């Protein structure tokens, strides 16, 4: 309705009740925007030490939310087996992999970015995934893109660049 629209945008019903993010100081705000994914809607407290908040995120931990997904080698093998059966079988296997692997892991990744206690790590994953981009133009490669990010990029975001480079260029998604 017209009452909920302003400048072409739909305004949530309770928008007037929402409070702006709470920041202890400007350093917290800057840290969340420069090194995270932006200030949070609930004004998450990053403590009195924004630098410490960023440094604490530099770990080798892997998010549990992204465990349990199939490896890229398994996705690729399934599509290759179908390819041997014919073009229609390959298309069906690729569509199935998009639905079961690509879509579910991409959704889990997006949810992780929204809920993460380590937005700096997620920002680095986005940066390096964009740097070592894999094209979603081939039905053989597309379904394994989230697995590529999980296997070749995530483990190396805070490690040596040479290790990430080797993992990225040797991954089946990049070949």
């Amino acid at each position: 309705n017209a009452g909920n629209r302003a400048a072409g945008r739909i305004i949530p019903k309770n928008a007037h009740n929402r409070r702006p993010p709470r920041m202890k100081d400007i350093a917290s705000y800057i840290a969340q925007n420069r090194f995270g994914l932006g200030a949070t809607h609930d004004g998450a407290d990053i403590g009195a030490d924004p630098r410490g908040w960023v440094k604490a995120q530099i770990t080798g931990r892997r998010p549990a939310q992204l465990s349990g997904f199939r490896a890229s080698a398994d996705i690729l093998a399934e599509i290759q087996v179908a390819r041997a059966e014919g073009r229609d079988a390959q298309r069906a296997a690729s569509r199935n992999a998009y639905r079961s692997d690509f879509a579910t892991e991409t959704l889990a990744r997006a949810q992780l970015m929204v809920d993460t206690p380590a937005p700096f790590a997620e920002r680095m994953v986005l940066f390096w995934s964009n740097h070592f981009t894999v094209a979603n133009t081939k039905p053989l490669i597309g379904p394994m893109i989230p697995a590529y990010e999980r296997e070749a990029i995530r483990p190396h975001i805070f490690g040596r660049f040479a290790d990430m480079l080797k993992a990225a260029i040797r991954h089946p998604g990049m070949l």
Side-chain angles (χ1 to χ4, degrees):
N1 73 35
N4 286 339
R5 293 186 184 273
R9 294 178 301 155
I10 295 178
I11 300 172
K13 291 181 182 180
N14 63 349
H16 62 281
N17 293 333
R18 290 188 184 167
R19 294 183 181 151
R22 298 178 313 272
M23 293 289 145
K24 287 194 178 266
D25 56 32
I26 193 68
S28 296
Y29 179 80
I30 290 170
Q32 285 188 336
N33 282 290
R34 282 192 185 160
F35 302 106
L37 297 172
T40 58
H41 69 282
D42 62 354
D45 182 10
I46 66 172
D49 181 17
R51 287 178 189 211
W53 174 76
V54 173
K55 288 179 182 178
Q57 296 177 56
I58 300 174
T59 69
R61 284 179 279 169
R62 296 190 186 172
Q65 298 92 322
L66 297 181
S67 62
F69 290 101
R70 286 200 311 165
S72 57
D74 296 337
I75 297 167
L76 183 61
E78 180 179 291
I79 296 171
Q80 288 286 28
V81 167
R83 185 180 192 181
E85 296 171 13
R87 191 166 178 89
D88 290 338
Q90 179 187 353
R91 285 182 182 160
S94 184
R95 277 193 305 272
N96 181 49
Y98 268 111
R99 279 194 300 271
S100 64
D101 296 301
F102 182 90
T104 55
E105 189 165 353
T106 300
L107 183 61
R109 175 186 179 257
Q111 190 64 50
L112 172 64
M113 287 188 191
V114 169
D115 296 335
T116 186
F120 179 56
E122 293 306 309
R123 187 179 186 115
M124 295 306 293
V125 169
L126 288 172
F127 174 82
W128 289 115
S129 293
N130 183 54
H131 185 76
F132 294 110
T133 300
V134 175
N136 190 8
T137 56
K138 297 179 182 175
L140 190 62
I141 302 301
M144 73 168 124
I145 291 174
Y148 162 76
E149 181 182 273
R150 178 173 28 86
E151 296 165 356
I153 303 297
R154 260 182 202 283
H156 303 286
I157 59 172
F158 295 125
R160 293 182 36 207
F161 176 78
D163 295 338
M164 184 187 304
L165 178 62
K166 286 177 193 172
I169 65 173
R170 292 177 178 169
H171 192 275
M174 188 65 84
L175 302 175

